[in-house]
Amino acid sequence: MSDLVVRRGRSDILRGVDAHIPEGQVVGLLGPSGAGKTTLMRTIIGAQRTASGTVEVFGRPAGHAALRRELGYMAQSSAIYDDLTVEQNLDYFRRVLGAPKTDVARVVDEVGLGSVRRNLAAQLSGGQRSRVSLGIALLGTPRLLVLDEPTVGLDPVLREELWGLFARLAETGTTLLVSSHVMDEARRCDRLLLVRDGRIIADETPDGLLAVTGASDHDEAFLRLVERDIAAGSEGGMNPRLTLATAGRVLTQVRHDPRTIALLVVVPALLVGLIAWIFDDTPVFDQVGPAMLGMFPFIVMFLVTSITTLRERRSGTLERLLTLPLHKGDFIGGYAIAFGLLAALQAAAAVAWAVWGCGLEVEGSVWLLVLVAVVNGLLGTMLGLLASAFATTEFQVVQFMPVFVAPQVLLGGIFLARDQMPDALRAISDWLPLSYSIDALNLVKTGGDTGEVLVDILIVAAFALGALVLAALTLRRKTA
């Protein structure tokens, strides 16, 4: 890296960093909390925007798609899925990397997780979660391991074993960059980069550091360097296999969460039933029932999927995934497939309950009604993914509700037929996909022209596909 600058707001987090990390060595990145260690590591893996300077890894710009199979990354946060077991976490990341199946057993043994390999990650202690995260970084045959404080919270015996593992990996040619704020780990490294206030103030071997400072230990050496410093004043194409792997992982997570399954599948049917109950012995349910089959699944799918990448960001898994050979389209596409299947199940359940449970009279094909409801659920899913790709906080997701949902519900023809709206509102309604879904549902209800229904379905599907593509383009691989 050369003259590297990373800026956050008006502050420089890294200031003109120049460094070379030799291959096949354990390089310690040491310094106090807040010195810029994590930012420097995120820059090397290509997950951090830079203001200026260059960062190259094995002759390529940091973050290059070709590097993602050659890097193993462990963030400070555990960056694992709480609702998957240890083995399921490892197996998912193994599949993303294309590593052999035997890697799961290998890393379970290397990081000492054999006794809890079938436990959900949510049931693990902090140290065990860190070991799962480290195990993910060890999958495959990475040429460079970037490990952010991998030994924090581990017992002394396991720490000793892991440093032995790091040394053996370096002997086979693997390069390791290991951060720590504990200076007694410096002696275990082949080379040291000492960071303070966003700058590298020393690049030495452990013995060389003691020699140049005249200190008796590395804590004292660092303090002397600080005193001197004060005195002196950084993509490939999509892969269907990875898309399906992500979809399978999401479905496995949902399987471990019965409340989400209930929300997705049962709630829309219950809401439709509630409307039927409220307007029992009146013609109202037959009039508004089709629109409810469009509105309830749409809203529920939007709410659930709009927080998906937020969950990944908070846990650190999104940052980890986007340093691997996983295209952004694979990530979004996997979620789209998984939640699309759930949307189809949800829509079918809601229609079945409305028709056979609540007595909704349908003159057209019930199967066509199911198809329209399914496409509408997919629309809510894709718009939710789009909102999730844009948002960085739950508050921002709430702000998207008036943009993505409210206008479609108000102007989609649920409360007032679209042909009775003022011209200006009708013009806006023509640009909202939910309008076409509700039109199609009403046409099926009254036995209208099947051709018109299919045209409306295609329009809604086009909107959904456009939202999916925009979500993949919007998802940021790098953060500010």
Side-chain angles (χ1 to χ4, degrees):
M1 63 194 77
S2 175
D3 199 24
L4 176 63
V5 175
V6 172
R7 187 168 293 122
R8 194 167 295 144
R10 296 183 178 181
S11 302
D12 287 346
I13 307 302
L14 296 179
R15 302 185 291 160
V17 171
D18 292 288
H20 173 72
I21 299 174
E23 294 188 40
Q25 292 189 14
V26 180
V27 179
L29 185 64
L30 292 98
S33 298
K37 302 188 300 297
T38 296
T39 300
L40 180 58
M41 299 182 102
R42 295 181 72 249
T43 303
I44 291 171
I45 65 173
Q48 175 68 56
R49 288 180 179 172
T50 61
S52 61
T54 59
V55 183
E56 289 191 354
V57 180
F58 302 130
R60 298 181 183 273
H64 193 282
L67 295 172
R68 292 175 202 151
R69 295 185 187 279
E70 300 187 324
L71 300 182
Y73 174 55
M74 175 184 174
Q76 283 187 18
S77 60
S78 57
I80 59 178
Y81 297 103
D82 284 346
D83 40 9
L84 295 181
T85 67
V86 171
E87 287 184 332
Q88 288 169 342
N89 267 286
L90 292 169
D91 186 63
Y92 169 61
F93 286 101
R94 173 198 67 77
R95 292 166 66 190
V96 170
L97 281 167
K101 291 183 179 181
T102 53
D103 263 20
V104 173
R106 173 179 64 81
V107 300
V108 163
D109 181 62
E110 287 178 340
V111 299
L113 288 170
S115 62
V116 295
R117 65 185 185 277
R118 293 189 176 89
N119 289 21
L120 288 176
Q123 301 170 346
L124 303 179
S125 67
Q128 289 170 332
R129 292 170 61 85
S130 296
R131 281 186 269 168
V132 177
S133 184
L134 175 59
I136 292 169
L138 296 174
L139 291 167
T141 54
R143 292 176 62 191
L144 171 63
L145 281 171
V146 180
L147 309 177
D148 199 351
E149 301 190 351
T151 59
V152 171
L154 302 184
D155 63 80
V157 174
L158 184 58
R159 285 179 62 192
E160 191 71 29
E161 291 175 355
L162 288 181
W163 278 105
L165 173 62
F166 297 161
R168 292 193 298 274
L169 289 170
E171 289 174 359
T172 64
T174 303
T175 304
L176 295 93
L177 181 63
V178 183
S179 75
S180 177
H181 59 270
V182 181
M183 293 302 296
D184 66 2
E185 294 192 327
R187 61 183 176 80
R188 304 174 185 271
C189 303
D190 299 309
R191 194 160 192 87
L192 300 174
L193 297 176
L194 269 64
V195 184
R196 177 184 179 272
D197 197 22
R199 292 179 295 112
I200 292 179
I201 60 174
D203 181 356
E204 289 283 353
T205 63
D207 290 340
L209 181 64
L210 297 178
V212 298
T213 59
S216 58
D217 60 56
H218 294 98
D219 276 314
E220 182 185 356
F222 183 74
L223 291 174
R224 291 190 180 184
L225 287 171
V226 170
E227 291 173 359
R228 292 181 187 179
D229 188 53
I230 293 174
S234 115
E235 217 158 292
M238 292 181 62
N239 186 327
R241 178 181 61 82
L242 303 184
T243 304
L244 292 175
T246 298
R249 183 264 295 175
V250 173
L251 290 172
T252 301
Q253 289 177 280
V254 172
R255 190 185 68 198
H256 289 307
D257 187 0
R259 287 175 297 181
T260 298
I261 296 174
L263 175 64
L264 288 172
V265 179
V266 179
V267 168
L270 289 178
L271 292 173
V272 170
L274 181 61
I275 296 295
W277 191 11
I278 291 172
F279 296 105
D280 191 24
D281 296 327
T282 74
V284 174
F285 179 64
D286 273 336
Q287 295 170 4
V288 302
M292 297 302 101
L293 291 175
M295 182 178 73
F296 290 144
F298 171 79
I299 293 176
V300 170
M301 292 308 302
F302 178 87
L303 288 174
V304 171
T305 55
S306 62
I307 61 172
T308 52
T309 63
L310 292 181
R311 179 187 181 190
E312 300 262 12
R313 284 194 180 98
R314 285 196 304 270
S315 67
T317 52
L318 178 61
E319 180 177 314
R320 165 171 257 160
L321 281 171
L322 295 183
T323 67
L324 300 176
L326 184 78
H327 192 276
K328 294 185 293 183
D330 293 319
F331 177 80
I332 291 292
Y335 267 101
I337 292 173
F339 281 104
L341 291 173
L342 293 170
L345 179 61
Q346 173 198 78
V351 171
W353 178 243
V355 174
W356 291 296
C358 302
L360 178 66
E361 295 183 3
V362 179
E363 296 182 21
S365 168
V366 173
W367 294 111
L368 191 57
L369 193 69
V370 171
L371 177 60
V372 179
V374 168
V375 173
N376 197 61
L378 291 173
L379 173 65
T381 299
M382 304 315 168
L383 289 178
L385 289 173
L386 176 58
S388 185
F390 269 108
T392 56
T393 65
E394 288 85 349
F395 181 66
Q396 289 183 358
V397 169
V398 174
Q399 290 176 315
F400 284 135
M401 288 288 289
V403 177
F404 287 92
V405 176
Q408 303 203 64
V409 172
L410 293 173
L411 301 178
I414 298 173
F415 303 104
L416 180 67
R418 295 206 301 135
D419 57 7
Q420 298 178 26
M421 293 179 182
D423 291 342
L425 294 181
R426 174 61 188 270
I428 297 173
S429 178
D430 287 341
W431 286 93
L432 302 177
L434 189 60
S435 302
Y436 297 93
S437 176
I438 293 172
D439 284 350
L441 290 166
N442 286 325
L443 280 170
V444 177
K445 165 69 171 64
T446 58
D449 183 50
T450 300
E452 292 184 36
V453 175
L454 294 176
V455 170
D456 286 336
I457 290 175
L458 289 175
I459 292 173
V460 176
F463 271 104
L465 181 60
L468 179 63
V469 172
L470 187 57
L473 294 174
T474 302
L475 186 66
R476 294 186 295 274
R477 185 172 292 278
K478 298 184 180 183
T479 59

